[in-house]
C-alpha cells in the first residue's frame, strides 16, 4: 500500500535527498557528490516541507514545497520578476522543487500531487509555482 506523508524522520529525509540526487545525476543536472544527496539551503528552512510517497518503508517519489520567505525561492534566479509580481499582489505561494521518483507510475505520482495540493488548500496557499528543467 502506498503511503503519502511529510517526511518526518531523518531517514525519510535522507532517502528523499538520495532519490533526488540519483534522478538529477541520471538527467545530467548535477555532478555526483561523496554523500549521494541533493540538499539545498532551502531544505534547512523550517517552512520547507518534504513530501514522499512510500511503500513498505521505501521512498518511491518525493517533492519539496518551499514556502516564500525572506530567503526567497530557488526559481527567483530566473523568474525574479514573476515572483516579485506575486508578492506585490500579496499572494501566499510556495515553490514545488526537487521532484524525483524511483519508478514510472502515473498513479503514484498523481497521488503525491493530490496530497501536496490538499496541503496547499489546508495552508491557504493561493498558488504553487514550479520551474521545470527541459531535461
Amino acid at each position: 500500500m502506498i503511503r503519502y506523508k511529510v517526511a518526518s524522520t531523518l531517514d525519510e529525509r535522507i532517502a528523499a535527498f538520495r532519490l533526488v540526487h540519483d534522478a538529477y545525476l541520471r538527467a545530467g543536472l548535477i555532478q555526483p557528490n561523496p554523500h549521494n544527496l541533493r540538499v539545498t539551503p532551502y531544505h534547512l528552512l523550517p517552512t520547507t516541507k518534504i513530501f514522499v510517497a512510500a511503500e513498505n518503508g521505501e521512498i518511491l517519489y518525493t517533492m519539496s514545497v518551499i514556502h516564500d520567505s525572506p530567503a526567497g525561492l530557488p526559481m527567483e534566479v530566473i523568474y525574479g520578476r514573476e515572483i516579485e509580481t506575486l508578492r506585490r499582489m500579496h499572494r501566499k505561494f510556495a515553490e514545488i522543487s526537487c521532484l524525483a521518483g524511483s519508478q514510472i507510475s502515473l498513479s503514484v505520482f498523481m497521488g503525491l500531487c493530490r496530497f501536496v495540493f490538499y496541503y496547499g488548500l489546508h495552508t491557504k496557499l493561493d498558488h504553487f509555482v514550479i520551474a521545470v528543467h527541459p531535461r
Side-chain angles (χ1 to χ4, degrees):
M1 183 167 120
I2 305 295
R3 188 165 175 227
Y4 301 97
K5 63 182 298 239
V6 175
S8 58
T9 67
L10 181 58
D11 286 341
E12 289 172 340
R13 292 172 71 90
I14 288 171
F17 295 148
R18 183 162 288 122
L19 188 62
V20 173
H21 172 273
D22 294 348
Y24 283 26
L25 191 62
R26 279 192 308 276
L29 300 176
I30 63 170
Q31 295 297 313
N33 68 62
H35 304 288
N36 297 319
L37 301 175
R38 169 72 173 155
V39 183
T40 73
Y42 297 96
H43 286 111
L44 304 177
L45 298 173
T47 54
T48 295
K49 304 292 184 219
I50 300 163
F51 290 84
V52 297
E55 184 174 39
N56 299 321
E58 179 188 354
I59 305 299
L60 304 176
Y61 278 89
T62 185
M63 74 173 63
S64 297
V65 174
I66 303 168
H67 287 260
D68 190 33
S69 73
L73 296 173
M75 69 186 297
E76 274 187 88
V77 173
I78 299 170
Y79 297 105
R81 187 174 56 185
E82 291 83 353
I83 295 302
E84 190 51 41
T85 297
L86 289 173
R87 288 187 184 120
R88 280 196 310 271
M89 295 170 64
H90 303 289
R91 303 298 178 149
K92 187 175 176 186
F93 57 97
E95 180 177 344
I96 302 291
S97 183
C98 294
L99 173 58
S102 63
Q103 59 178 264
I104 297 174
S105 171
L106 184 59
S107 64
V108 175
F109 172 70
M110 291 307 295
L112 185 59
C113 289
R114 250 188 318 280
F115 185 67
V116 170
F117 173 78
Y118 285 120
Y119 166 82
L121 290 176
H122 176 75
T123 58
K124 301 187 182 345
L125 290 176
D126 297 310
H127 305 282
F128 283 113
V129 294
I130 186 169
V132 180
H133 194 282
R135 283 190 253 162

